Amino acid sequence: MTNLATAFRAAPPTAWFGLVVTTLIFFVALLAPVIAPYGQTQIVGPEFAPWSNSHLLGTDNLGRDMATRMIYGARNTVGVALATTLLAFLLGGSAGLLAGTVRGWADQLLGRFVDIIMAIPSLIFALLLLAIFGTSIASLILIIAGLESTRFFRLARALALGISALDYVEAARLRGEGLGWLIYREILPNAAAPLIAEFGLRLCFAFLFIATLSFLGLGIQPPTADWGSMVRDNAVLITYGDITPLLPAAAIALLTVAVNFIVDWLLQRSSGLKD
Amino acid sequence: MRSLAAMILKRIGLGFVTLAIVSFIVFFAVYLLPGDLAEEILGQARTPETVANIRHELGLDRPAGTRYIEWIGGVLTGDFGRSLASGRSIAELTGSRLVNTFFLAGFAATISLPLSIALGLAAALYRGRLIDRSINVAALTAISLPEFFVAYILILALSVKAGLVPSLASVNPDTPLAERFYRTILPVVTLTLAVAAHVIRLTRAAIVNLMANQYIEMARLKGLKPSRVIVRHALPNALAPIINVVVLNLAYLIVGVVVVEVVFGYPGLGQLLVDAVAKRDIPVVQATCLIFASTYIVLNLIADVLTIALDPRLLHQR
């Protein structure tokens, strides 16, 4: 614990900013039903009402409370992005570690498969699959997790390849340890830091990706509140010089910047670079 | 010389194999759906007749192999089939939109690439100084912002508040060229900001790597002027990575236009794709995805070929 405390004390201001913002958004997402003044689909007033005491950020295109939807949006957008990245991490990470340790034809096959998926821009691939499978939250998570897992696979495989060539892994192998032990006890501890940093980066990417799809009307579907579609639904206000529709977009940007700052700090710490 | 040609030919061959596999994926992805696609598209409103009709339109009632050969044969001769939603020929739908999208991407590229390479070079040469740090922070921030956020901020500032440029980029085939440039200013600025961030960072990294080489150090220690070190010693070797960066970003632009076209209501291929996905108009989605993916693959191929051709060191790899 003291280690952690010193690490935090030594953290640069950008990392602090990142940590504070992320924690704040995390708690808002967690406590959404408690903090939010209204329900996320509840119609509470006229359409496009201006900012007032009863509706802090006014109302949206259907007369729902904008502040409430911002709070629920944190929950839905971040929740879906987190679920997607976790799934991709588990899928791609375990397949990558396995392929890099065992090698052989399965590794070759998976490698070629990943190469082909990565040859198509992921937005285009995701749009193709969304057209076929339809735009439900489940298919959204599965499709993006599937595409994202290729990145984790690449990294995990490269790490496992490098680490399994080291003497201590060879020693464990000669000792007769099983595959599970080799991966879990010998390789994973050394691969964890870069994998976690990659998790942060991919989380940002998945978050932006889902927000973009929702903005295009193809991600999280109404009436569920989400930051991407909130921009789309209220965009018309911008032509009247109102900044309200920009707030969800700013929230997306804020969280992405915050997570990027944390990842930057983690990478610098794990690589031992001071500058 | 022969081995150089062989390497390039091999890379081109690989590119064609990739294109073939991608066309396979785009076509056969439809068969991944566990249920019946026709019933799935029609949803609650289906009747046996409409389902049979859609199945026929999609070719689901014929063997997949035959259908693929028909489809790819059609694509190669410029016939993409018909749209499910409107019944119009897809080639007709994509024709002018393809031109529009390439116009937008090309316009954005001619502005963003020289600008961002110059900034990337400046950041690398004045590494660690104020100019480098401010370029870096700006680029990092720009990467983190969603494109639609940048787009709407620009609309708010330049179009709504200042009234300088139109907020909608509506063009049609009869719009004169000058008018076209004027109407696409905002989409182009948005794309420029998105792409420039990447190009700046990559150019900077490439040059910083290069300047750390011993032969550059040597040239400096000989007392050469900095400008000569850069132009005669650094630049020839930096050309390959920079060209790589340029072409990769053209590929990125081709994809980045999707969001920008939707925001600005620009009648391009990206907007068509998004509409078709929303309507689950599978033949249109397949055609546009194939066009986007092929463009992306071909641009990557060009980047690799140029890198091979421009880097003499690749010839002597053992």
Side-chain angles (χ1 to χ4, degrees), chain A residues 157-183:
Chain A
R157 180 180 173 276
L159 287 168
L161 264 183
I163 296 172
S164 63
L166 294 178
D167 285 344
Y168 72 89
V169 184
E170 196 56 40
R173 204 175 269 143
L174 292 175
R175 209 158 67 215
E177 303 288 3
L179 186 61
W181 176 284
L182 280 181
I183 291 179

Side-chain angles (χ1 to χ4, degrees), chain A residues 238-243, chain B residues 154-164:
Chain A
I238 292 170
T239 43
Y240 299 102
D242 188 339
I243 61 154
Chain B
L154 289 174
I155 291 183
L156 186 68
L158 297 181
S159 174
V160 179
K161 298 273 186 208
L164 290 173

